[in-house]
Amino acid sequence: MTPAAETPPAVRPKSYRLLKHGWLYVMLLPGVAYFLIFRYWPMYGLSIAFQDYLPFLGYQDSPWVGLKHFEELFAGPDFGRLMFNTGLLALLTVLFVFPAPIVVALMLNEMRRQVVRRSIQSIIYIPHFLSWTIVASVTYLLFSADFGVIAGWINDIVGGPRADYVAQEEWFRPVVVLQLLWKQTGWGTIIYLAALAGVDTQLYEAARVDGAGRWRQFWHITLPGIRPAIVVMAILTTGHLLDSGFEQIWLMTTSLNRSVADVFDTYVYYIGITQGSYSYSTAVGLFKGVVGVLLIYGSNLLSKRLGERGLF
């Protein structure tokens, strides 16, 4: 006697699944609206990079000039200086700011007293919530030549005339990197601590049974466990290499250090807002965005070639 054929489960229509999870889609609407209004809709204005845009003529009637503004950018006297300043800040960020959260997360992970660990985490998270205006003000209070506390201490140790660390060209980049380290390191550790929490503790127990010390456990278990997170963050970081941060750089720029402080972000502001060169500044911003996209795709491809999963 043959068994009765099993009846396949009823396939529910998509409208049922949509209604069942309706509140999840409602919660998704603010985020979608944000990206549509503030990220995608403004892309319509990128067309003025290929026009001599005149506000009273609008997008449709302004004359088209093709790649004129891009040719002016690449052939102009400012491009080399902007590329060098932005690239050097990006290199310093990769060398010092990017690995700092990884190092701090690994150090916190090695702490066994939870009270001390959580206290340190809370303290180093605080700078992330301070605006760059406050960070710049604190920097001036600590490092300015007139009333800087730390500048005074350094002067008492080394002697000689007091250095103005917030105005002199040679100190601009070190101060900016220190600000980034102080403000972003603590917040960046959240991702790596979450990755460390996902590492199987049985691997450590098995390693200890096999006689592996702390260093071998760190090298063969901990680092491979957080490597996917490091790769993803590295790919995302490459897309922002030319984003030096307008607010931070603008607040730290003075007439004495402008030659080393000018980057693409502040240059777009000076040219576009203060001088009214809307088309040229849009071309500069579009160039920076295209380079960022290419860097993301290139770094993602490189990570896959090296055997990692990549971002997409």
Side-chain angles (χ1 to χ4, degrees):
M1 185 175 181
T2 59
E6 296 181 359
T7 58
V11 179
R12 298 188 181 276
K14 293 183 179 180
S15 58
Y16 172 82
R17 295 197 295 269
L18 182 65
L19 293 175
K20 180 180 179 181
H21 304 288
W23 284 111
L24 296 179
Y25 291 99
V26 172
M27 295 172 63
L28 188 65
L29 287 178
V32 174
Y34 168 80
F35 279 96
L36 290 177
I37 296 173
F38 296 104
R39 298 294 182 179
Y40 287 97
W41 183 53
M43 288 185 182
Y44 176 71
L46 293 176
S47 60
I48 68 175
F50 308 94
Q51 297 175 301
D52 273 335
Y53 175 71
L54 299 173
F56 59 88
L57 292 179
Y59 294 124
Q60 300 297 330
D61 298 326
S62 295
W64 291 86
V65 296
L67 300 177
K68 169 189 172 183
H69 300 297
F70 294 95
E71 295 173 356
E72 292 180 0
L73 170 64
F74 299 139
D78 297 326
F79 180 75
R81 176 172 55 87
L82 293 172
M83 200 68 193
F84 178 78
N85 292 341
T86 307
L88 186 54
L89 278 178
L91 178 62
L92 293 174
T93 301
V94 171
L95 291 178
F96 297 102
V97 181
F98 177 76
I102 303 174
V103 175
V104 174
L106 293 173
M107 294 173 64
L108 291 174
N109 187 63
E110 293 297 322
M111 290 186 176
R112 295 295 175 256
R113 296 182 64 87
Q114 294 295 325
V115 176
V116 178
R117 174 180 173 179
R118 291 175 181 174
S119 300
I120 295 176
Q121 285 181 252
S122 301
I123 292 173
I124 63 178
Y125 290 166
I126 293 175
H128 173 78
F129 300 98
L130 302 178
S131 69
W132 280 115
T133 304
I134 297 176
V135 174
S137 300
V138 172
T139 304
Y140 277 96
L141 289 174
L142 295 178
F143 293 100
S144 64
D146 298 329
F147 45 78
V149 178
I150 296 181
W153 292 347
I154 297 175
N155 181 255
D156 294 338
I157 296 174
V158 301
R162 179 177 291 191
D164 194 348
Y165 298 100
V166 295
Q168 294 178 352
E169 293 182 358
E170 59 268 22
W171 289 105
F172 174 77
R173 296 185 183 101
V175 169
V176 167
V177 171
L178 286 175
Q179 287 179 333
L180 291 171
L181 286 170
W182 184 69
K183 192 175 191 297
Q184 298 181 1
T185 298
W187 188 255
T189 58
I190 294 177
I191 296 175
Y192 299 109
L193 286 174
L196 288 168
V199 179
D200 191 356
T201 56
Q202 293 182 356
L203 297 176
Y204 293 102
E205 296 174 0
R208 284 193 291 268
V209 171
D210 292 338
R214 297 289 290 273
W215 173 251
R216 287 189 175 273
Q217 294 177 35
F218 167 78
W219 188 257
H220 295 286
I221 299 176
T222 305
L223 279 184
I226 65 173
R227 187 167 56 195
I230 295 176
V231 171
V232 171
M233 295 305 298
I235 295 173
L236 295 176
T237 300
T238 56
H240 296 279
L241 286 181
L242 296 186
D243 291 332
S244 303
F246 165 76
E247 188 176 357
Q248 179 194 14
I249 303 299
W250 185 72
L251 289 170
M252 297 304 299
T253 301
T254 65
S255 58
L256 298 177
N257 61 18
R258 178 156 294 175
S259 61
V260 298
D262 266 346
V263 293
F264 283 108
D265 294 320
T266 56
Y267 185 72
V268 168
Y269 170 77
Y270 290 131
I271 297 298
I273 303 300
T274 63
Q275 299 184 18
S277 300
Y278 302 113
S279 295
Y280 180 73
S281 61
T282 303
V284 177
L286 181 58
F287 161 75
K288 188 168 68 73
V290 170
V291 171
V293 172
L294 294 177
L295 287 173
I296 286 181
Y297 275 93
S299 58
N300 186 75
L301 180 62
L302 179 62
S303 67
K304 289 185 176 181
R305 291 286 180 87
L306 295 176
E308 298 296 333
R309 294 179 57 183
L311 185 62
F312 50 86

